[in-house]
Amino acid sequence: LEEASDDEQRWALATELHGHIREAARCPHANHVVQKCIKVMSPSMSQFIIDEIMEDEDLIALSKHKFGCRIVQRLLEMCPAEQVHDLVELLLAGFILISTHTSGNFVVQCLLQNAARKQRIQTFGLVKQHLPELALHANGCAVICAALEHGDIGDRCMLAEMVLADSDRLAFMLGSRLGDTIVARLLDTLEGAGHQRLLALLEGNPKFEALPQRRS
């Protein structure tokens, strides 16, 4: 595919996958071929991949599959937002199931970064709505981190305050494998009293002593 001289040659190679995308997406070897197609072909040529994935009887399960999730991510990254609009709508319908899954959470992180603005806002709203569930799950914490990085400043500030509002929930998040990243995101986002409150909570915790205080 990379060595093909033009789109016509790439298309000729890609046509061999027609009717087999759902199977290939779950294959430890063929999924790499599908990913390469998405990366090197024009978005319009990838439409058949989107169509076949959306025909999957359980798109949510595919998005949680350790190989299938990579196909969904590549489509979100490489195709125009309007082209994957309907795909995103189906993914959002299974938001909490995907967000708390070991592989699926990467799909939601990708949505927060690459979906159309309206759908990014919708995704961020779901993060806030399901914060209690996400915050108590290691994979959900990864989604919260992505939201704190990629959301609009107003939304990020609101989410950071929501995280800070529950000390038990915050303690669990800080104890997770992403604790350092969560603290860094919160310190970058919180201002004024919220920022000082977080610093007070972190005081004396050796795990976070090396982190810069960011905002003053």
Side-chain angles (χ1 to χ4, degrees):
L1 283 165
E2 286 184 329
E3 296 177 359
S5 60
D6 53 33
D7 281 349
E8 185 176 347
Q9 287 191 6
R10 293 187 186 94
W11 180 250
L13 293 169
T15 53
E16 297 180 18
L17 290 169
H18 278 225
H20 303 288
I21 292 298
R22 285 173 289 176
E23 178 184 356
R26 292 175 169 85
C27 174
H29 307 295
N31 85 87
H32 294 289
V33 179
V34 179
Q35 289 187 70
K36 184 64 68 175
C37 284
I38 297 168
K39 288 179 178 180
V40 303
M41 295 192 310
S42 65
S44 62
M45 293 171 65
S46 294
Q47 186 60 47
F48 81 96
I49 300 175
I50 297 173
D51 293 340
E52 290 192 31
I53 280 184
M54 289 183 63
E55 290 171 0
D56 197 297
E57 293 182 357
D58 196 346
L59 176 63
I60 303 305
L62 178 66
S63 300
K64 296 189 297 180
H65 191 276
K66 62 181 179 179
F67 304 130
C69 72
R70 301 173 187 175
I71 307 304
V72 177
Q73 289 176 74
R74 297 298 86 76
L75 289 170
L76 296 173
E77 292 166 353
M78 304 303 296
C79 296
E82 60 271 16
Q83 186 178 8
V84 293
H85 177 276
D86 292 347
L87 173 62
V88 172
E89 289 296 305
L90 292 175
L91 294 172
L92 291 178
F95 173 82
I96 195 65
L97 293 174
I98 302 175
S99 295
T100 54
H101 189 269
T102 303
S103 299
N105 79 89
F106 292 104
V107 172
V108 179
Q109 292 184 56
C110 198
L111 284 174
L112 285 163
Q113 193 169 0
N114 296 288
R117 176 172 172 75
K118 182 177 179 181
Q119 291 179 317
R120 290 202 311 273
I121 292 172
Q122 186 179 354
T123 307
F124 203 99
L126 289 169
V127 173
K128 290 188 289 186
Q129 177 185 337
H130 294 284
L131 179 62
E133 299 160 84
L134 296 174
L136 296 179
H137 199 291
N139 299 317
C141 286
V143 171
I144 294 171
C145 276
L148 287 169
E149 180 178 6
H150 299 297
D152 292 340
I153 182 61
D155 286 333
R156 287 192 285 116
C157 288
M158 184 181 298
L159 179 61
E161 290 289 351
M162 290 173 66
V163 170
L164 195 59
D166 189 316
S167 57
D168 291 337
R169 186 164 62 206
L170 178 61
F172 179 87
M173 294 178 68
L174 298 188
S176 73
R177 58 183 171 81
L178 291 172
D180 288 356
T181 304
I182 291 168
V183 168
R185 296 278 185 272
L186 291 173
L187 288 172
D188 273 341
T189 304
L190 289 165
E191 297 181 327
H195 186 87
Q196 294 304 316
R197 193 159 72 251
L198 177 60
L199 291 177
L201 289 170
L202 298 177
E203 188 175 358
N205 190 325
K207 180 178 179 180
F208 304 111
E209 285 180 351
L211 283 172
Q213 293 190 6
R214 305 299 171 94
R215 297 180 189 272
S216 58

